[in-house]
Amino acid sequence: MSYFDGIKNIALKEEPIILGIETSCDETAVAITKGGREIIADEIISSALEHARFGGVVPEIASRAHTEAVLTATENALKSANLTMEDIDAVAVTKGAGLLGALLVGVSFAKALAFSYNLPLIPVSHIRGHIAAAYLADKTLKPPFITILASGGHTAIVKAESFYDLKVLGSTVDDAVGEAFDKVARVLGLKYPGGPNVERLAKDGKNSIKLPKMLGNNYQGSEFDFSYSGLKTAVINYVNSATQKGEVMNGADVACSFQHAAIDVLIEKAFKALKFTGYKTLAVSGGVGANGYLRDALTERAKTEGIKLVLPEKRYCTDNAAMICAEGYLQYRLRNFSDLDLNAQAVVEF
């Protein structure tokens, strides 16, 4: 009997203990959850300092770092939870999206674990994982709700109609918001990772620089779409022009003005989506969800408009394995198990 024949009809548990593995970028993350919402171990080994030397993530360095760290992270998670692999009911792993070489490390390791211990192997979309982080923040949360998905690779307004049915109301037509933060950080001479450093600098500045609004009235796509390329270019041109003219430029004002322009539109379109759908709950997902200005502005707006706001801890907005466990639990309930031919994918759909 093959591995898959042995696990495809396995009896499901009400509160399975799932070990999740996330290696899509520069964090080697392993977590263990119970019942999809209770985190009992959460380990992250980051290679961000290595990438900072180069001003951004270097795929080859990321892959090597994952290879060195994934076993240690797994052992640490099991030790932290006071469990062994014999206590684990399933293994969930990010199949994509992300850096292909980095993803392959996690997928290969997860396949080895699942095969060795005869456990279900659950492939998880990194994007859905980010959205599922809301279930860790609020254990009573149920769809329907609206999610702001904002990360280095994705920017979208998503309607969660059920635990499994996600509909994209609008997305970026070019750069993602996190990508724009990184590029603006670079032109301001800030180190990687760009997002936190732009936010830090912006605290000392004023929203005093006029920057272009995204997607004018002539745009023919969804009213919930985004575009960050023009905003990013406007900031770069502003900085370069000031430098060439020998003018004194206040970097904090640039950072603050950019942050307002980039994030205010996220907030406006999210609340427009709430009005459009009639939903009363808003969740935040993705690394930009850790931005303090976004969190504070959303908290104030949600309170004013009577909207329930679900904000995952900052740790669970950025890449982590607990969110992979949370989405893995939902896929477990569907018996969405994979055979050992599972492969990594640089790009995945919702």
Side-chain angles (χ1 to χ4, degrees):
M1 183 171 62
S2 71
Y3 156 79
F4 190 67
D5 288 337
I7 59 93
K8 65 182 180 181
N9 294 317
I10 195 169
L12 298 185
K13 295 185 176 181
E14 284 298 317
E15 294 191 321
I17 297 176
I18 296 177
L19 183 146
I21 300 170
E22 154 63 26
T23 63
S24 66
C25 193
D26 58 350
E27 263 80 38
T28 308
V30 177
I32 301 172
T33 62
K34 181 180 180 181
R37 301 204 181 196
E38 179 185 351
I39 302 171
I40 53 181
D42 176 30
E43 297 291 327
I44 297 178
I45 300 176
S46 177
S47 60
L49 289 179
E50 288 294 314
H51 302 290
R53 296 161 50 202
F54 304 96
V57 177
V58 180
E60 178 64 19
I61 292 176
S63 300
R64 289 176 181 271
H66 289 311
T67 302
E68 294 173 357
V70 67
L71 177 58
T72 300
T74 302
E75 290 174 339
N76 290 347
L78 289 166
K79 183 178 180 180
S80 175
N82 195 27
L83 299 174
T84 68
M85 282 303 301
E86 282 75 15
D87 299 309
I88 303 299
D89 297 311
V91 177
V93 63
T94 303
K95 67 175 181 180
L99 302 174
L100 189 57
L103 289 163
L104 281 168
V105 176
V107 168
S108 298
F109 188 75
K111 289 197 290 187
L113 280 182
F115 178 74
S116 298
Y117 293 93
N118 198 36
L119 297 172
L121 175 64
I122 307 171
V124 174
S125 159
H126 183 82
I127 306 169
R128 281 182 172 262
H130 270 306
I131 294 172
Y135 300 125
L136 301 172
D138 183 348
K139 292 180 173 56
T140 67
L141 177 64
K142 295 180 180 179
F145 57 85
I146 294 294
T147 287
I148 299 174
L149 174 61
S151 70
H154 306 90
T155 303
I157 299 296
V158 181
K159 178 170 69 166
E161 297 177 329
S162 74
F163 287 113
Y164 307 104
D165 298 315
L166 304 179
K167 181 178 180 182
V168 178
L169 297 179
S171 61
T172 182
V173 298
D174 41 55
D175 291 350
V177 60
E179 182 182 3
F181 266 90
D182 285 339
K183 290 179 178 178
V184 167
R186 193 172 297 120
V187 78
L188 289 174
L190 303 176
K191 294 182 178 180
Y192 174 86
N197 288 320
V198 170
E199 179 188 356
R200 194 172 297 114
L201 181 60
K203 290 179 180 179
D204 296 324
K206 298 178 180 179
N207 181 21
S208 59
I209 299 170
K210 186 176 182 180
L211 293 171
K213 294 183 178 180
M214 297 173 249
L215 299 176
N217 295 331
N218 293 328
Y219 179 67
Q220 299 299 310
S222 168
E223 63 180 319
F224 301 108
D225 282 345
F226 300 91
S227 171
Y228 284 95
S229 180
L231 174 60
K232 168 207 68 181
T233 301
V235 173
I236 292 173
N237 288 342
Y238 178 89
V239 173
N240 289 342
S241 177
T243 301
Q244 290 169 4
K245 294 177 181 178
E247 298 175 349
V248 176
M249 180 196 69
N250 188 319
D253 287 351
V254 175
C256 183
S257 300
F258 163 76
Q259 182 172 254
H260 274 265
I263 286 178
D264 288 351
V265 69
L266 280 172
I267 297 170
E268 287 301 321
K269 294 199 175 187
F271 278 86
K272 182 183 288 187
L274 288 165
K275 185 176 181 180
F276 173 76
T277 58
Y279 294 174
K280 297 298 182 181
T281 302
L282 174 65
V284 178
S285 58
V288 179
N291 180 277
Y293 171 67
L294 172 65
R295 297 170 76 90
D296 291 344
L298 281 174
T299 299
E300 183 177 347
R301 179 86 177 258
K303 184 177 180 180
T304 299
E305 300 197 15
I307 295 297
K308 178 181 179 180
L309 178 64
V310 180
L311 281 175
E313 292 180 30
K314 292 185 178 183
R315 178 184 179 92
Y316 300 115
C317 290
T318 54
D319 291 350
N320 66 89
M323 70 183 194
I324 301 305
C325 290
E327 177 61 23
Y329 169 77
L330 298 179
Q331 300 303 318
Y332 174 90
R333 304 304 304 176
L334 291 177
R335 292 185 176 274
N336 185 13
F337 306 149
S338 175
D339 205 341
L340 298 177
D341 59 359
L342 176 66
N343 203 357
Q345 299 172 254
V347 179
V348 297
E349 301 295 331
F350 278 80

